[in-house]
Amino acid sequence: MQDNLDKIVIVGAGTAGVNAASALRQQGFEGQVVILGAESVAPYQRPPLSKAFLAKDKPPAATLLKPGAFFPTNGITLEMGQGVVAIDRTAKAVLTKAGVHYPYDELILATGSSARRLRCPGAGLSNVCYLRNLSDATRLHKSLRSAKSVAILGGGVIGLEVASAAVALDKQVTVIESAGRVMARVATPSATNVITRQLKAAGIRFALNARLARIDGVDGQARTCILESGEAVAADLVVVGIGALPNQGLAVHAGLLCDNGIIVDEAMRSSDPDIYAIGDCAAAENSYYGGRIRIETIHNAMVQAQIAASSICGVRIPDAAPPRFWSDLLGMKLQGLGGLTRYDKLVAFNGKNGVETEVHAFAGDRLVATETINLSKRQSELSKLIHPAE
């Protein structure tokens, strides 16, 4: 640890930012730690927003990342409602929207990502929704109760989780996906075939290889999604889940190197050695993927928070761990391990009930990734079998 380090500022109060602050204390940093969060509410967990939050009759209170007493007990200054608008690298300070300057010795950017916005006629209709934060989830919870037909644009993790919640509420649900299968970016055909079959059996309709042309509305509200094929999909609620973009604007304007995320080295340092980036906003080298990648998972945010804190404190950086993600879909728990980008062989093991599934992805003879459905106890053992690329 550098002897002259006195103040660390963390921009972002999500999983990455809060875990970085916690890790700094665990690693022995005794100086000031300040977290600046743009939202006005205490730091909360985001995964439940597309799962249990939508299923409850009344919107539950957000699940906090840490108890309220955690921050003062650990000497961490938490400033919510303090959106940062600029970084002054020369003065080593950040400026908030309210005009407050926060000087730093080391800066950690944990700014997360934002929903990719829909660009087509009708995209601005009042009942076209996104899901990235607590405010979005609260609005969507209310809208789901009054809707009859729901169109989900995008068959990724968020889209399918919202679709699961909607069909459980007896809504007519259609998932519109431009690819030939759902979850194509994060899961193998073996796993998505099982998921699609079960979701179809529950009443969810899928329009695959389908592109949206426009959304038609009445009195400012969506009523029909028109596909490029000419097909009309009834929808009095449209939920957009077409991916996310890194919140890298601060870094770009500060002159940091960015390419679909803030480029960082193995210690999470950006092109400025006094500025780190972690979580959804960071593009980092990952030995399990064999290159630089931006990963939008809770596990990745927590791992990178530990790496950045270790680097700042001058302690040994944790060994690389297989990336992982999970999703809950109508009684199915999908869990993935490893880097699912370069594989040439899949081996699937299916349980007797047609749902329990285990998939192994190989590159040559090397196991690069695994997936399980409703086999949570397998994760510990499988994680030992996956190794980084040489």
Short mmCIF file of all heavy atoms in Angstrom, two decimals, residues 303-328:
data_model
loop_
_atom_site.label_atom_id
_atom_site.label_comp_id
_atom_site.label_asym_id
_atom_site.label_seq_id
_atom_site.Cartn_x
_atom_site.Cartn_y
_atom_site.Cartn_z
N VAL A 303 -15.99 -10.07 -7.57
CA VAL A 303 -14.60 -10.49 -7.79
C VAL A 303 -13.73 -9.29 -8.12
O VAL A 303 -12.63 -9.11 -7.55
CB VAL A 303 -14.53 -11.54 -8.92
CG1 VAL A 303 -13.09 -11.75 -9.37
CG2 VAL A 303 -15.13 -12.87 -8.46
N GLN A 304 -14.19 -8.44 -9.02
CA GLN A 304 -13.38 -7.28 -9.40
C GLN A 304 -13.24 -6.28 -8.26
O GLN A 304 -12.22 -5.60 -8.16
CB GLN A 304 -13.98 -6.63 -10.65
CG GLN A 304 -13.84 -7.51 -11.88
CD GLN A 304 -14.31 -6.82 -13.15
OE1 GLN A 304 -14.92 -5.76 -13.13
NE2 GLN A 304 -14.01 -7.44 -14.29
N ALA A 305 -14.25 -6.18 -7.40
CA ALA A 305 -14.14 -5.32 -6.22
C ALA A 305 -13.00 -5.79 -5.33
O ALA A 305 -12.21 -4.99 -4.81
CB ALA A 305 -15.46 -5.31 -5.45
N GLN A 306 -12.90 -7.10 -5.14
CA GLN A 306 -11.82 -7.67 -4.32
C GLN A 306 -10.45 -7.43 -4.96
O GLN A 306 -9.47 -7.11 -4.28
CB GLN A 306 -12.04 -9.17 -4.14
CG GLN A 306 -13.17 -9.54 -3.19
CD GLN A 306 -12.78 -9.33 -1.74
OE1 GLN A 306 -11.61 -9.25 -1.39
NE2 GLN A 306 -13.79 -9.24 -0.88
N ILE A 307 -10.39 -7.56 -6.28
CA ILE A 307 -9.11 -7.36 -6.98
C ILE A 307 -8.65 -5.91 -6.84
O ILE A 307 -7.48 -5.65 -6.53
CB ILE A 307 -9.25 -7.75 -8.47
CG1 ILE A 307 -9.48 -9.26 -8.61
CG2 ILE A 307 -8.01 -7.32 -9.26
CD1 ILE A 307 -9.80 -9.69 -10.03
N ALA A 308 -9.55 -4.96 -7.07
CA ALA A 308 -9.18 -3.55 -6.98
C ALA A 308 -8.73 -3.20 -5.57
O ALA A 308 -7.71 -2.52 -5.38
CB ALA A 308 -10.36 -2.67 -7.39
N ALA A 309 -9.46 -3.67 -4.56
CA ALA A 309 -9.10 -3.37 -3.18
C ALA A 309 -7.74 -3.98 -2.83
O ALA A 309 -6.91 -3.35 -2.16
CB ALA A 309 -10.18 -3.89 -2.23
N SER A 310 -7.50 -5.20 -3.28
CA SER A 310 -6.23 -5.86 -3.01
C SER A 310 -5.07 -5.10 -3.65
O SER A 310 -4.02 -4.92 -3.05
CB SER A 310 -6.25 -7.30 -3.53
OG SER A 310 -7.25 -8.06 -2.87
N SER A 311 -5.29 -4.64 -4.87
CA SER A 311 -4.25 -3.89 -5.57
C SER A 311 -3.94 -2.58 -4.84
O SER A 311 -2.78 -2.24 -4.63
CB SER A 311 -4.71 -3.59 -7.01
OG SER A 311 -3.75 -2.82 -7.68
N ILE A 312 -4.97 -1.86 -4.43
CA ILE A 312 -4.77 -0.59 -3.73
C ILE A 312 -4.05 -0.81 -2.41
O ILE A 312 -3.17 -0.03 -2.02
CB ILE A 312 -6.13 0.10 -3.51
CG1 ILE A 312 -6.70 0.60 -4.84
CG2 ILE A 312 -6.00 1.26 -2.51
CD1 ILE A 312 -8.12 1.10 -4.75
N CYS A 313 -4.40 -1.88 -1.73
CA CYS A 313 -3.83 -2.15 -0.41
C CYS A 313 -2.49 -2.88 -0.48
O CYS A 313 -1.86 -3.13 0.56
CB CYS A 313 -4.81 -2.95 0.44
SG CYS A 313 -6.31 -2.03 0.87
N GLY A 314 -2.06 -3.24 -1.67
CA GLY A 314 -0.76 -3.88 -1.82
C GLY A 314 -0.69 -5.29 -1.31
O GLY A 314 0.38 -5.76 -0.90
N VAL A 315 -1.82 -5.98 -1.33
CA VAL A 315 -1.83 -7.38 -0.92
C VAL A 315 -2.03 -8.27 -2.15
O VAL A 315 -2.35 -7.79 -3.23
CB VAL A 315 -2.93 -7.65 0.13
CG1 VAL A 315 -2.74 -6.76 1.34
CG2 VAL A 315 -4.32 -7.44 -0.45
N ARG A 316 -1.86 -9.54 -1.96
CA ARG A 316 -1.94 -10.49 -3.08
C ARG A 316 -3.32 -10.46 -3.71
O ARG A 316 -4.34 -10.55 -3.03
CB ARG A 316 -1.63 -11.90 -2.58
CG ARG A 316 -1.65 -12.97 -3.65
CD ARG A 316 -1.24 -14.31 -3.06
NE ARG A 316 -1.31 -15.38 -4.03
CZ ARG A 316 -2.39 -16.08 -4.30
NH1 ARG A 316 -3.52 -15.82 -3.64
NH2 ARG A 316 -2.37 -17.05 -5.20
N ILE A 317 -3.35 -10.32 -5.03
CA ILE A 317 -4.61 -10.33 -5.76
C ILE A 317 -5.18 -11.74 -5.78
O ILE A 317 -4.43 -12.71 -6.00
CB ILE A 317 -4.39 -9.81 -7.20
CG1 ILE A 317 -4.04 -8.32 -7.17
CG2 ILE A 317 -5.63 -10.04 -8.06
CD1 ILE A 317 -3.70 -7.75 -8.52
N PRO A 318 -6.47 -11.91 -5.53
CA PRO A 318 -7.06 -13.26 -5.51
C PRO A 318 -6.85 -13.99 -6.83
O PRO A 318 -6.78 -13.37 -7.90
CB PRO A 318 -8.54 -12.99 -5.26
CG PRO A 318 -8.60 -11.62 -4.67
CD PRO A 318 -7.46 -10.87 -5.25
N ASP A 319 -6.72 -15.31 -6.75
CA ASP A 319 -6.62 -16.13 -7.95
C ASP A 319 -7.88 -15.98 -8.79
O ASP A 319 -8.98 -15.75 -8.27
CB ASP A 319 -6.43 -17.60 -7.59
CG ASP A 319 -5.08 -17.86 -6.93
OD1 ASP A 319 -4.13 -17.08 -7.19
OD2 ASP A 319 -4.99 -18.83 -6.16
N ALA A 320 -7.73 -16.13 -10.09
CA ALA A 320 -8.87 -16.05 -10.99
C ALA A 320 -9.86 -17.18 -10.67
O ALA A 320 -9.48 -18.30 -10.36
CB ALA A 320 -8.41 -16.16 -12.44
N ALA A 321 -11.14 -16.85 -10.74
CA ALA A 321 -12.20 -17.83 -10.49
C ALA A 321 -13.09 -17.90 -11.72
O ALA A 321 -13.26 -16.90 -12.43
CB ALA A 321 -13.01 -17.42 -9.27
N PRO A 322 -13.67 -19.07 -12.00
CA PRO A 322 -14.54 -19.18 -13.17
C PRO A 322 -15.71 -18.19 -13.07
O PRO A 322 -16.36 -18.10 -12.02
CB PRO A 322 -15.05 -20.62 -13.10
CG PRO A 322 -14.07 -21.35 -12.26
CD PRO A 322 -13.57 -20.35 -11.26
N PRO A 323 -15.98 -17.43 -14.12
CA PRO A 323 -17.16 -16.56 -14.13
C PRO A 323 -18.41 -17.40 -13.90
O PRO A 323 -18.46 -18.57 -14.28
CB PRO A 323 -17.15 -15.95 -15.53
CG PRO A 323 -15.73 -16.08 -15.99
CD PRO A 323 -15.21 -17.34 -15.38
N ARG A 324 -19.42 -16.78 -13.29
CA ARG A 324 -20.66 -17.52 -13.06
C ARG A 324 -21.85 -16.59 -13.11
O ARG A 324 -21.74 -15.39 -12.87
CB ARG A 324 -20.62 -18.26 -11.73
CG ARG A 324 -20.48 -17.38 -10.49
CD ARG A 324 -20.43 -18.25 -9.24
NE ARG A 324 -19.24 -19.09 -9.19
CZ ARG A 324 -19.14 -20.20 -8.46
NH1 ARG A 324 -20.16 -20.59 -7.71
NH2 ARG A 324 -18.03 -20.92 -8.48
N PHE A 325 -23.00 -17.15 -13.46
CA PHE A 325 -24.25 -16.39 -13.42
C PHE A 325 -25.37 -17.34 -13.07
O PHE A 325 -25.23 -18.57 -13.10
CB PHE A 325 -24.53 -15.70 -14.76
CG PHE A 325 -25.18 -16.59 -15.80
CD1 PHE A 325 -26.54 -16.59 -15.99
CD2 PHE A 325 -24.41 -17.44 -16.58
CE1 PHE A 325 -27.14 -17.41 -16.93
CE2 PHE A 325 -24.99 -18.26 -17.53
CZ PHE A 325 -26.37 -18.24 -17.71
N TRP A 326 -26.53 -16.78 -12.73
CA TRP A 326 -27.68 -17.61 -12.42
C TRP A 326 -28.96 -16.87 -12.80
O TRP A 326 -28.98 -15.64 -12.91
CB TRP A 326 -27.72 -18.00 -10.94
CG TRP A 326 -27.80 -16.82 -10.00
CD1 TRP A 326 -26.77 -16.05 -9.56
CD2 TRP A 326 -28.98 -16.28 -9.41
NE1 TRP A 326 -27.22 -15.07 -8.73
CE2 TRP A 326 -28.57 -15.18 -8.62
CE3 TRP A 326 -30.33 -16.61 -9.46
CZ2 TRP A 326 -29.48 -14.40 -7.89
CZ3 TRP A 326 -31.23 -15.85 -8.73
CH2 TRP A 326 -30.81 -14.77 -7.95
N SER A 327 -30.02 -17.64 -13.00
CA SER A 327 -31.31 -17.05 -13.34
C SER A 327 -32.41 -17.97 -12.84
O SER A 327 -32.27 -19.21 -12.91
CB SER A 327 -31.42 -16.87 -14.86
OG SER A 327 -32.68 -16.33 -15.21
N ASP A 328 -33.49 -17.39 -12.33
CA ASP A 328 -34.67 -18.14 -11.89
C ASP A 328 -35.79 -17.94 -12.90
O ASP A 328 -36.20 -16.81 -13.17
CB ASP A 328 -35.13 -17.67 -10.51
CG ASP A 328 -34.22 -18.15 -9.40
OD1 ASP A 328 -33.58 -19.20 -9.59
OD2 ASP A 328 -34.13 -17.48 -8.36
#
